[in-house]
Amino acid sequence: MIVSASRRTDIPCYYSEWFYNRIKEGFLYVRNPMNFHQVSRIDLSPEIVDCIVFWTKNPKPMMSRLEELGEYKYYFQFTLTGYGRDIEPYVPHKKKEMIPVFRELSHRIGSSGVIWRYDPILFNDIYTEEYHIKAFAQIAGALKGYTKKCVISFVDIYSKNKRNMTDLKINEKNPIELAAFAGKLSEISHQHGIQIATCAENIDLQQYGIEHNCCIDKSLIEEITGCKIQAVKDKNQRKECGCIESVEIGTYDSCKNGCRYCYANYSSKLVKKNSDSYDEDSPLLCGKVTEGDKITERKLKLFRIL
């Protein structure tokens, strides 16, 4: 089993105590987002967990306890963009705080284990192509030698993030314009020894040396684990997504980063309600088991070929 921690919320930043407690206890519960009373029990024993993929904008809160993951293989998807607090209101200062954290994490687990995400990319009168190119170049220079890959994507509008983005006045680009822009990022990244790839984009950028990425990446997991991985494409993701199958352990409407483009939060009121119900000792990330919940042991597969 590959654990996704998490596409739905920033577990390393806001819920690391809960995660470490669940590792210690050896299991956790996940509610079905489509059926409140349907709860899955997930075994977290090292014997069944092939790899853990962390998604975060700030892993610092969990970094002092990484030794507790000694029996597990893992890597981080670390989002580091050029946006200010108008877009990412609760993410710490990038240059002063997050770049040093990125470097420290890379020192501790190796440059292959920290993927830099510069995404999603949106354009408006403030965040122009020129702005992004300058910001991207500065971050790429600061991360040279600390990561091997950068993942980019262009913003998508969903029902969950549409109302949070209405006043951003986004300038939409056509595929030709996006490709030319991506080519400039590719040139910068390669100058700093960083491979660049896209996340869930159908646009073909191979002419610029940009491949389609798999965020939950079979090849990288094989490199990290030292084992062949027998897994198929995740059927629960978009067709453009190349990720292999994983078990998602996060909760929607619980991330407190407040990013305007986020598809995992519908409203700040729901985020407050869910985060206020957070109990680091509960098997559930937010809230507790209630009357009427049906807890089922999820059938898990070992993907490593031992």
Side-chain angles (χ1 to χ4, degrees):
M1 168 186 65
I2 297 165
V3 175
S4 171
S6 152
R7 286 184 174 95
R8 298 173 182 169
T9 192
D10 196 331
I11 289 176
C13 184
Y14 297 109
Y15 305 112
S16 61
E17 297 91 348
W18 172 82
F19 183 80
Y20 282 123
N21 285 342
R22 301 330 307 151
I23 288 292
K24 184 178 180 180
E25 293 290 330
F27 75 97
L28 57 79
Y29 293 163
V30 179
R31 284 196 185 278
N32 183 337
M34 306 303 292
N35 185 339
F36 181 83
H37 288 296
Q38 185 177 332
V39 179
S40 295
R41 186 185 188 277
I42 309 297
D43 185 350
L44 289 178
S45 61
E47 291 75 23
I48 194 66
V49 176
D50 297 288
C51 188
I52 304 169
V53 182
F54 293 107
W55 315 68
T56 186
K57 288 185 171 69
N58 179 13
K60 186 175 181 179
M62 77 176 299
M63 285 170 56
S64 64
R65 298 173 62 183
L66 287 176
E67 68 277 359
E68 295 179 36
L69 301 178
E71 294 187 81
Y72 298 86
K73 303 297 184 181
Y74 58 90
Y75 64 95
F76 283 79
Q77 301 267 349
F78 192 141
T79 300
L80 190 54
T81 69
Y83 297 122
R85 293 190 180 275
D86 56 333
I87 304 290
E88 298 175 344
Y90 301 113
V91 178
H93 194 280
K94 313 298 175 56
K95 185 179 290 186
K96 294 178 182 178
E97 298 181 66
M98 289 299 93
I99 286 175
V101 167
F102 194 110
R103 289 172 165 177
E104 180 185 350
L105 182 60
S106 177
H107 273 307
R108 295 189 59 181
I109 70 173
S111 58
S112 294
V114 193
I115 310 299
W116 168 33
R117 301 187 70 94
Y118 190 93
D119 81 316
I121 299 168
L122 63 84
F123 303 98
N124 63 15
D125 290 344
I126 296 173
Y127 299 103
T128 61
E129 288 191 31
E130 292 75 18
Y131 180 99
H132 280 296
I133 289 169
K134 182 178 179 180
F136 186 88
Q138 290 176 343
I139 298 171
L143 299 185
K144 183 176 183 178
Y146 294 95
T147 187
K148 293 184 178 180
K149 180 185 277 189
C150 174
V151 176
I152 64 170
S153 72
F154 299 104
V155 72
D156 291 312
I157 308 298
Y158 303 95
S159 58
K160 270 198 165 187
N161 67 4
K162 185 176 182 178
R163 69 176 184 174
N164 294 327
M165 297 176 64
T166 53
D167 63 345
L168 294 181
K169 299 179 181 178
I170 293 175
N171 299 327
E172 295 188 19
K173 307 278 186 185
N174 63 48
I176 295 175
E177 292 172 321
L178 292 178
F181 170 78
K184 295 174 183 178
L185 299 189
S186 178
E187 183 178 349
I188 293 167
S189 66
H190 286 120
Q191 287 173 355
H192 296 286
I194 301 172
Q195 178 189 355
I196 189 168
T198 58
C199 173
E201 293 287 341
N202 56 23
I203 185 172
D204 186 359
L205 300 172
Q206 288 192 7
Q207 62 177 313
Y208 299 107
I210 303 174
E211 298 182 350
H212 293 292
N213 183 60
C214 305
C215 300
I216 297 185
D217 187 340
K218 179 176 179 287
S219 297
L220 178 57
I221 293 170
E222 288 179 336
E223 177 186 337
I224 289 172
T225 62
C227 299
K228 286 290 184 182
I229 296 295
Q230 194 169 46
V232 299
K233 173 179 163 49
D234 191 336
K235 63 182 180 181
N236 296 313
Q237 303 302 321
R238 292 174 288 170
K239 68 177 183 178
E240 296 87 0
C241 176
C243 292
I244 58 173
E245 53 194 315
S246 64
V247 174
E248 172 60 53
I249 66 168
T251 298
Y252 285 119
D253 294 298
S254 64
C255 183
K256 295 187 284 187
N257 286 326
C259 301
R260 300 283 295 279
Y261 50 72
C262 183
Y263 63 84
N265 286 347
Y266 181 71
S267 73
S268 57
K269 288 183 179 179
L270 279 173
V271 172
K272 186 177 190 310
K273 178 183 176 182
N274 287 329
S275 59
D276 283 350
S277 71
Y278 168 60
D279 178 355
E280 64 186 50
D281 295 317
S282 172
L284 286 164
L285 176 56
C286 292
K288 299 180 183 297
V289 175
T290 65
E291 186 177 352
D293 285 345
K294 182 180 179 181
I295 301 172
T296 304
E297 187 82 26
R298 181 158 175 174
K299 294 180 180 180
L300 304 171
K301 294 184 289 185
L302 184 69
F303 296 139
R304 282 169 288 168
I305 301 176
L306 302 175

